[in-house]
Amino acid sequence: MSSSSEELHNAALAYHRLPRPGKLEIQAIKPLANQRDLALAYSPGVAAACTEIAKNPAEAASLTARSNLVAVVSNGTAVLGLGNIGPLASKPVMEGKAVLFKKFAGIDVFDIEIKADTIERVVETVAALEPTFGGINLEDIRGPECFEIEAQLKERMKIPVFHDDQHGTAIIVAAAIVNGLLLNGKKLAEVKIVCSGAGAAAIATLNLLVSMGAQRKNIWVCDIDGVVYDGRNTTMDRWKAVYTQKTDARVLGDVIPGADIFIGLSAPGVLKAEMVKQMADQPLVMALANPVPEIMPDEARQARPDAMICTGRSDFPNQVNNVLCFPFIFRGALDVGATAINEAMKHAAVDAIAQLARDPPSDAVAHGFETGETQGFGPGSLIPSPFDPRLILRIAPAVARAAMESGVATRPIGNFDEYAANLERFAFRSGLTMKPVFAKAKTQPVRVIYAEGEDERVLRATQVVLEEKLARPILVGRPTVVETRIKRFGLSIKAGRDFDLVNPEDDPRYRSYVQSYIDVAGRRGVTPEAARTVVRTNNTVIAALAVSRGEADAMLCGVEGRYMSHLRHVREIIGFLPGISDYAALSLMITTKGAHFLADTQVRPNPSAEELAEVASLAAIHVQRFAFKPRIAFVSHSDFGSYDTDSSRKMRRATQLLKERHPEIEADGEMQGDTALSAVARRLVLPQSRLEGEANVLIMPNLDAANIAYQMIKSLADALPVGPILIGPARPAHILTPSVTARGILNMTAVAAVEAQERAGRAQPTLFG
């Protein structure tokens, strides 16, 4: 095992072990605070719900969690690339699937690993679970048994049964093929399809394509024993036999000439460059073996520059990733109480995914790429980005509507506009908040310097920064200490090879750094002798000087020490953007209900109305980097004039000043916190408010209010904090807090990197392009 593989292995074990084993927990969603709550939740009140369901089973959808509960079921016979490792060893994968359901579509999951090796036992076990669940997701069950298991369960159960290994892959592949054929002008009924692999995903993909119009006579299948031909009797089954051909061809190389589409769901390297050269004009090459595809994209492109290429990997365009569809298909199916996921629903998902790839990219996607074909529909963008927030908004309604039209919906949706509005709460959930920033950071890696380069959290973050290719790290730290700690923590990074190291005790630039410090701070009481000492001992000063001298593009500090001490050095060395009176701190809080920005959480004790307007306008720039449209609320104890105090008047004036200076920003105030976060509450107080929907930027009247709100949200809502993001420095410089985690440092690296990218393109940031 290589050092990097070993480090990932150990990190994964620590991730699953700490701070609590596993990846899931169960939480109550109703109050259980007193005797009455207990009486309602359990005996005697629960009898009312039981009686209603006994009279009308459909009431289970409104009285229990069943309508939003899916079982992820596996017998562990075909787990990822690990094979038949058994049900217990498959549990981490099933928990992972549960996390994806919850994160992307808000669906609750029980993972169920069953000790059942035969088709009959699996079917009997799963079928008996029907009263508990609204849907069944079969996972990692080997073929060809999986086909029979799914078919029998669909026949017996009146809830959706979906084997994602089959149909999830099939739907994404089909969407890519629809768009590929649209680009090359070919018709599905006429193209020659060659498939390498005859497992669950391959056969399901071919079945779906046939149901969409592909001709079986044009489909050629190869597996480990070669071409699937009429009369072959080795490793055959009734599912594979559907695709036999009367032919003397025996190997992939015999059938690939003239192929319009290659679908690889098999093994690394089976498709050779000379085979790709023999394919038809503008071929679609779908090399989906993972992690090593049937042919690497650069090799395929060199052989055929006109080829359109898809893989299963995230580091190439056109990634076939099941997370593009399975959470959203279940979301739509559950929301109409579907009794099955049928062909019409799968076709609807294919069409929705294909259409989304053809639409102009959303801000969340556009922010993630530089100019090029990935910015719009084309050979490099046949499939939507996995972090496109519109996936749920397109796929779930399409699936729900298809369920209704095909007669399998038991709870039809009456108003699809309202339904779409409800889905928006999932479209921008916490799991997606950082992805546009990460994607943009990767497009043009900049140099980020970390003042506390010896800290374990910084070192662990640096490892991931390099793996994610977010930035080119520079660490301030003593070489022997850094090297020792890298070894202690089992990391695979190395100074000089993976990151640059500034040694505060012995750097050849020491004298010039001292002079640079004297130049910027000499008139602020810093003597030459003091400068020599500070540059030798203060890592924040070293990092700030590196940024001011152009030797780094952005800096992070504050992992150790007091915030205000770091701030003083950043002020004197980095300075301010033109026209800015002082810094401010913007803190992002990512909760299960979405992302909200708070300001000023660290710097200005009691800002004036003018300062608050300034902070709000600068905050809007940062918010856009997360692909959000800023919706700013100036928060107060007063609701649109309900109190007349110095504080409420200040917030009123700040609102007016921002409106005058930046009428393009959506903002309003003064308003109470609940009014800011609820459009319904706001309409009751002020129907003509300029603010639409839920505010995502809360400008607080003073430092006490902002910091207290920040700390309470972090603790009570179990929020993921990002920041503080320092507003107003002349160059990207951010001061973290000692409670920051390695993940927090990673997030702020991406934020700093994107800011540095933008600064490289213009003298100072501006609003809305």
Side-chain angles (χ1 to χ4, degrees):
M1 184 183 293
S2 67
S3 59
S4 59
S5 298
E6 185 178 3
E7 190 281 327
L8 180 62
H9 176 85
N10 292 335
L13 292 179
Y15 175 87
H16 283 80
R17 284 192 176 116
L18 303 171
R20 293 165 54 190
K23 298 189 284 281
L24 301 172
E25 68 176 1
I26 296 174
Q27 289 187 332
I29 60 171
K30 299 295 171 65
L32 293 168
N34 51 50
Q35 188 62 42
R36 178 169 175 76
D37 290 342
L38 293 174
L40 294 172
Y42 198 54
S43 181
V46 72
C50 295
T51 303
E52 287 299 307
I53 295 171
K55 290 190 297 185
N56 180 9
E59 287 291 344
S62 61
L63 293 172
T64 74
R66 183 175 186 262
S67 63
N68 194 53
L69 187 62
V70 166
V72 172
V73 182
S74 180
N75 65 355
T77 52
V79 181
L80 295 178
L82 303 174
N84 186 1
I85 60 174
L88 183 60
S90 77
K91 188 172 180 63
V93 179
M94 302 312 123
E95 286 189 359
K97 195 81 171 190
V99 170
L100 294 178
F101 267 110
K102 186 67 175 179
K103 206 71 172 177
F104 285 94
I107 295 171
D108 296 316
V109 166
F110 290 159
D111 64 290
I112 298 179
E113 296 75 32
I114 57 176
K115 191 174 182 180
D117 293 332
T118 66
I119 292 173
E120 294 73 19
R121 189 167 182 184
V122 173
V123 170
E124 287 301 323
T125 302
V126 176
L129 299 173
E130 184 169 353
T132 302
F133 296 100
I136 303 290
N137 183 90
L138 300 174
E139 194 75 20
D140 291 353
I141 300 174
R142 68 187 170 201
E145 291 97 325
C146 60
F147 296 112
E148 190 64 41
I149 288 168
E150 186 189 46
Q152 290 190 30
L153 288 173
K154 282 184 172 182
E155 184 69 26
R156 291 180 58 168
M157 303 180 79
K158 299 303 181 185
I159 58 176
V161 178
F162 186 83
H163 186 206
D164 185 48
D165 298 327
Q166 294 182 48
H167 308 299
T169 301
I171 287 165
I172 308 302
V173 169
I177 289 175
V178 166
N179 281 340
L181 297 182
L182 187 65
L183 288 173
N184 63 23
K186 300 177 183 180
K187 297 184 182 301
L188 183 60
E190 299 171 359
V191 294
K192 179 180 179 180
I193 300 171
V194 173
C195 183
S196 176
I203 297 300
T205 297
L206 297 177
N207 290 346
L208 180 59
L209 291 173
V210 168
S211 74
M212 293 169 57
Q215 300 296 307
R216 290 187 183 180
K217 65 181 181 180
N218 297 332
I219 296 175
W220 300 76
V221 178
C222 299
D223 62 10
I224 195 169
D225 287 337
V227 174
V228 175
Y229 62 89
D230 190 21
R232 198 183 100 173
N233 52 25
T234 57
T235 62
M236 291 295 291
D237 56 65
R238 68 186 181 95
W239 310 96
K240 191 187 305 183
V242 171
Y243 294 100
T244 57
Q245 293 273 18
K246 291 184 178 181
T247 180
D248 293 328
R250 291 296 181 265
V251 295
L252 178 62
D254 295 338
V255 298
I256 199 70
D260 299 283
I261 300 170
F262 170 80
I263 301 173
L265 289 157
S266 54
V270 300
L271 184 66
K272 308 302 181 184
E274 53 268 25
M275 296 181 188
V276 179
K277 290 179 180 178
Q278 299 176 59
M279 294 181 71
D281 291 340
Q282 294 181 275
L284 178 57
V285 177
M286 309 196 75
L288 307 180
N290 217 356
V292 182
E294 286 79 3
I295 187 170
M296 293 299 291
D298 52 351
E299 186 181 358
R301 191 167 287 109
Q302 185 175 3
R304 287 297 297 272
D306 62 337
M308 293 174 279
I309 304 165
C310 301
T311 71
R313 291 170 49 142
S314 60
D315 53 346
F316 293 108
N318 291 324
Q319 182 195 12
V320 174
N321 186 335
N322 287 15
V323 80
L324 278 165
C325 71
F326 74 80
F328 317 123
I329 289 173
F330 268 95
R331 182 73 276 159
L334 292 173
D335 289 340
V336 294
T339 57
I341 294 176
N342 56 26
E343 289 300 300
M345 295 159 75
K346 288 187 279 187
H347 288 189
V350 171
D351 292 342
I353 293 167
Q355 180 60 59
L356 182 55
R358 299 195 293 268
D359 287 351
S362 72
D363 288 343
V365 177
H367 282 222
F369 298 100
E370 293 183 305
T371 57
E373 62 186 4
T374 46
Q375 284 244 350
F377 178 55
S381 188
L382 299 174
I383 311 170
S385 163
F387 58 84
D388 193 321
R390 299 170 297 176
L391 283 164
I392 192 170
L393 303 177
R394 301 294 185 83
I395 299 173
V399 169
R401 196 182 295 276
M404 291 164 56
E405 292 173 353
S406 60
V408 297
T410 61
R411 299 189 304 275
I413 293 170
N415 187 323
F416 269 88
D417 290 337
E418 289 183 3
Y419 179 57
N422 288 333
L423 290 176
E424 286 192 6
R425 73 186 189 276
F426 301 117
F428 299 96
R429 292 182 67 86
S430 59
L432 301 177
T433 301
M434 291 303 302
K435 288 192 175 181
V437 184
F438 273 67
K440 175 64 176 172
K442 294 178 184 181
T443 62
Q444 184 186 343
V446 300
R447 300 163 299 173
V448 177
I449 187 167
Y450 303 83
E452 295 91 356
E454 298 174 2
D455 189 278
E456 176 184 355
R457 293 163 293 175
V458 172
L459 292 170
R460 291 192 181 280
T462 299
Q463 174 87 45
V464 183
V465 166
L466 290 163
E467 291 172 354
E468 297 278 348
K469 300 178 182 178
L470 290 179
R472 294 193 292 273
I474 305 170
L475 274 57
V476 181
R478 295 162 292 178
T480 54
V481 175
V482 170
E483 183 179 358
T484 299
R485 292 182 179 180
I486 286 174
K487 290 180 180 178
R488 182 194 305 164
F489 305 140
L491 305 176
S492 60
I493 54 177
K494 184 177 181 180
R497 183 190 67 189
D498 301 311
F499 60 90
D500 295 324
L501 189 62
V502 178
N503 180 2
E505 295 181 342
D506 184 21
D507 190 277
R509 296 165 293 183
Y510 170 69
R511 292 183 184 277
S512 63
Y513 267 47
V514 170
Q515 188 57 53
S516 295
Y517 188 40
I518 292 171
D519 291 343
V520 297
R523 293 182 180 274
R524 297 188 180 93
V526 177
T527 65
E529 182 179 354
R532 285 190 289 271
T533 301
V534 169
V535 173
R536 185 76 77 190
T537 60
N538 192 301
N539 288 8
T540 295
V541 169
I542 295 171
L545 287 170
V547 172
S548 70
R549 289 159 55 97
E551 295 168 3
D553 302 301
M555 69 171 283
L556 296 180
C557 64
V559 176
E560 300 170 1
R562 294 186 177 276
Y563 189 94
M564 297 309 292
S565 298
H566 295 285
L567 185 67
R568 176 169 57 84
H569 293 305
V570 172
R571 271 198 183 110
E572 66 184 5
I573 297 171
I574 300 294
F576 301 98
L577 282 169
I580 301 302
S581 61
D582 196 2
Y583 298 143
L586 179 69
S587 294
L588 167 60
M589 308 301 293
I590 304 176
T591 74
T592 56
K593 294 185 178 180
H596 297 87
F597 297 81
L598 280 68
D600 169 13
T601 56
Q602 295 288 344
V603 181
R604 308 190 194 199
N606 189 21
S608 65
E610 289 75 12
E611 290 178 295
L612 289 171
E614 177 183 270
V615 169
S617 64
L618 293 172
I621 297 168
H622 284 280
V623 171
Q624 289 179 106
R625 295 187 180 119
F626 291 83
F628 291 116
K629 179 182 179 182
R631 294 188 174 92
I632 298 177
F634 289 88
V635 183
S636 170
H637 69 292
S638 173
D639 231 357
F640 300 110
S642 62
Y643 286 85
D644 189 25
T645 62
D646 290 342
S647 176
S648 62
R649 287 193 294 270
K650 178 175 74 171
M651 301 308 283
R652 233 171 284 159
R653 173 158 172 73
T655 304
Q656 184 60 34
L657 288 171
L658 183 67
K659 180 180 179 181
E660 292 170 359
R661 297 172 184 175
H662 294 284
E664 73 278 13
I665 300 179
E666 188 177 319
D668 210 340
E670 87 285 11
M671 67 180 77
Q672 294 178 354
D674 60 341
T675 308
L677 298 175
S678 169
V680 174
R682 193 160 55 253
R683 280 195 296 269
L684 293 174
V685 180
L686 190 72
Q688 67 270 31
S689 172
R690 293 183 67 244
L691 192 62
E692 296 183 3
E694 182 179 297
N696 55 18
V697 184
L698 306 178
I699 304 298
M700 300 292 187
N702 55 48
L703 180 59
D704 284 347
N707 193 267
I708 290 169
Y710 165 77
Q711 299 293 352
M712 292 184 69
I713 293 171
K714 184 171 70 170
S715 297
L716 297 177
D718 195 22
L720 170 67
V722 179
I725 301 168
L726 192 62
I727 295 175
R731 296 172 183 266
H734 299 285
I735 305 168
L736 309 179
T737 59
S739 63
V740 71
T741 62
R743 179 69 193 184
I745 295 170
L746 180 70
N747 286 336
M748 280 305 298
T749 299
V751 171
V754 171
E755 182 181 4
Q757 289 174 356
E758 294 184 4
R759 296 287 187 90
R762 56 194 182 211
Q764 64 182 55
T766 58
L767 279 169
F768 306 105

